[in-house]
């Protein structure tokens, strides 16, 4: 089967790379993606490639979007992609280690937790610094007996780890149907129960109250939805946030303070930030 490789160049990757993946994968026919230092490589079957669609995406994109198109040689690209996709070992400040792997990676017995993620188009394979830091927080934060919300769950890697660590119930919400399906598949693969739902923060009034809220999204959505998270948090609940740059920390902390939350922890990795906020009892 022949594939077309489209190489995109972005002046600012940040959330825009994720936005591009969402557009091409959710609205378009693109099947897989590889992040590059200054953009993205996207792959589509030759018969599904549409130059006019690509031009329309570039024209509508909020940043200048340059791209080149290349026809790939005929080979087993699934096997090739699997060969390049690496498992990730997450080291945490408090000690627990988390091995995030695909089904084709080896099982390890020398780690505290092992999460198997089928890497498709959903965000959350531990390669991105924000997911890495959030896995660290989930591994360090007491989860026993807690009701947990995984907002913008993607692959549900964070919710799955929370369940492994003793959470009584995990609700995962994502706006994309393909993320929902991938999350359900991953939960079943790891033999845990995650209540996955399609939607956004407007679903929260019907989801009950939570002891821990996890949200790895982006700055603008977090700023917009934090008041809704607050309404769904029990007294003394913890809010774990990531998906934004270090420069945006102050805005998120100020927003949390206005909602009655205080900063109790912070992580930084490759220019990205993760925050741990706690609601007053």
């Amino acid at each position: 089967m022949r594939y077309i490789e489209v190489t995109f160049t972005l002046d600012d990757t940040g959330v825009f790379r994720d936005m591009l993946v969402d557009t091409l994968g959710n609205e378009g026919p693109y099947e897989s993606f590889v992040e590059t230092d200054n953009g993205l490589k996207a792959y589509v079957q030759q018969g599904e490639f549409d130059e006019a669609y690509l031009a329309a995406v570039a024209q509508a994109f909020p940043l200048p979007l340059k791209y080149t198109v290349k026809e790939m040689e005929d080979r087993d690209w699934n096997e090739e992609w699997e060969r390049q996709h690496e498992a990730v070992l997450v080291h945490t400040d408090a000690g627990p280690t988390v091995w995030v792997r695909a089904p084709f990676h080896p099982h390890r017995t020398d780690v505290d937790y092992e999460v198997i993620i089928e890497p498709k188009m959903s965000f959350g394979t531990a390669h991105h610094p924000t997911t890495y830091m959030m896995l660290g927080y989930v591994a360090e934060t007491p989860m026993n007996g807690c009701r947990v919300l995984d907002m913008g769950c993607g692959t549900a890697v964070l919710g799955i780890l929370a369940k492994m660590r003793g959470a009584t119930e995990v609700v995962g919400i994502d706006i994309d149907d393909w993320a929902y399906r991938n999350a359900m598949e991953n939960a079943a693969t790891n033999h845990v129960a995650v209540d996955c739902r399609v939607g956004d923060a407007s679903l929260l009034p019907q989801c009950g109250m939570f002891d821990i809220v996890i949200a790895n999204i982006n700055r603008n959505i977090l700023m917009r939805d934090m008041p809704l998270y607050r309404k769904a948090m029990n007294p003394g609940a913890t809010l774990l946030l990531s998906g934004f740059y270090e420069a945006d920390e102050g805005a998120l902390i100020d927003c949390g303070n206005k909602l009655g939350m205080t900063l109790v922890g912070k992580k930084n990795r490759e220019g990205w930030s993760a925050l741990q906020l706690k609601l007053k009892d």
Side-chain angles (χ1 to χ4, degrees), residues 6-262:
V6 183
T7 301
F8 296 93
T9 303
L10 293 166
D11 293 334
D12 178 5
T13 52
V15 299
F16 295 102
R17 181 159 48 198
D18 297 334
M19 185 185 303
L20 181 58
V21 170
D22 182 63
T23 299
L24 296 173
N26 194 31
E27 300 175 5
Y30 288 74
E31 298 179 2
S32 59
F33 306 91
V34 175
E35 292 185 359
T36 64
D37 290 340
N38 60 348
L40 184 77
K41 290 182 182 292
Y43 298 89
V44 60
Q45 292 184 30
Q46 187 178 46
E48 297 290 331
F49 177 71
D50 184 345
E51 181 75 46
Y53 167 76
L54 197 60
V57 169
Q59 184 175 5
F61 206 69
L63 288 182
L65 187 62
K66 303 174 184 177
Y67 63 87
T68 58
V69 178
K70 176 182 176 182
E71 182 177 334
M72 309 299 292
E73 62 180 281
D74 194 8
R75 71 169 79 169
D76 187 343
W77 286 105
N78 285 333
E79 180 180 345
E80 180 73 10
W81 187 85
E82 289 181 0
R83 184 181 64 81
Q84 296 180 11
H85 180 81
E86 297 180 353
V88 177
L89 179 62
V90 178
H91 294 276
T92 64
D93 296 337
T97 51
V98 184
W99 177 237
V100 182
R101 68 175 180 90
F104 48 82
H105 291 135
H107 166 66
R108 289 180 64 158
T109 59
D110 60 339
V111 295
D112 296 286
Y113 301 98
E114 181 178 79
V115 184
I116 302 172
I117 295 297
E118 185 68 52
K120 295 184 178 178
M121 292 186 300
S122 305
F123 184 80
T125 57
H127 292 84
H128 196 278
T130 60
T131 310
Y132 186 102
M133 291 185 292
M134 291 292 271
L135 282 164
Y137 267 137
V138 175
E140 296 164 355
T141 304
M143 296 280 168
N144 281 334
C146 292
R147 193 163 187 268
V148 177
L149 171 66
D150 184 1
M151 197 70 218
C153 63
T155 63
V157 63
L158 302 174
I160 290 169
L161 180 60
K163 191 66 178 177
M164 288 179 172
R165 301 205 62 245
T168 54
E169 184 181 3
V170 175
V171 175
I173 297 177
D174 200 287
I175 196 169
D176 292 308
D177 183 67
W178 46 265
Y180 161 80
R181 295 194 301 270
N182 188 211
M184 291 290 288
E185 178 184 11
N186 290 327
T189 297
N190 289 276
H191 307 290
V192 299
V194 176
D195 179 4
C196 299
R197 309 182 189 190
V198 179
D200 56 20
S202 65
L203 291 181
L204 291 181
Q206 56 188 277
C207 294
M209 303 298 289
F210 297 92
D211 304 298
I212 298 173
V213 174
I214 304 167
N216 183 16
I217 311 179
N218 68 58
R219 177 191 184 278
N220 292 337
I221 293 177
L222 292 175
M223 294 286 290
R224 182 193 70 194
D225 291 347
M226 280 176 68
L228 295 176
Y229 304 160
R230 165 64 181 84
K231 291 180 181 180
M233 294 169 65
N234 286 319
T238 295
L239 175 62
L240 303 174
L241 297 177
S242 194
F244 47 90
Y245 293 112
E246 292 181 44
D248 296 319
E249 289 176 355
L252 274 300
I253 294 170
D254 288 344
C255 184
N257 290 341
K258 292 176 182 178
L259 294 169
M261 290 178 268
T262 56

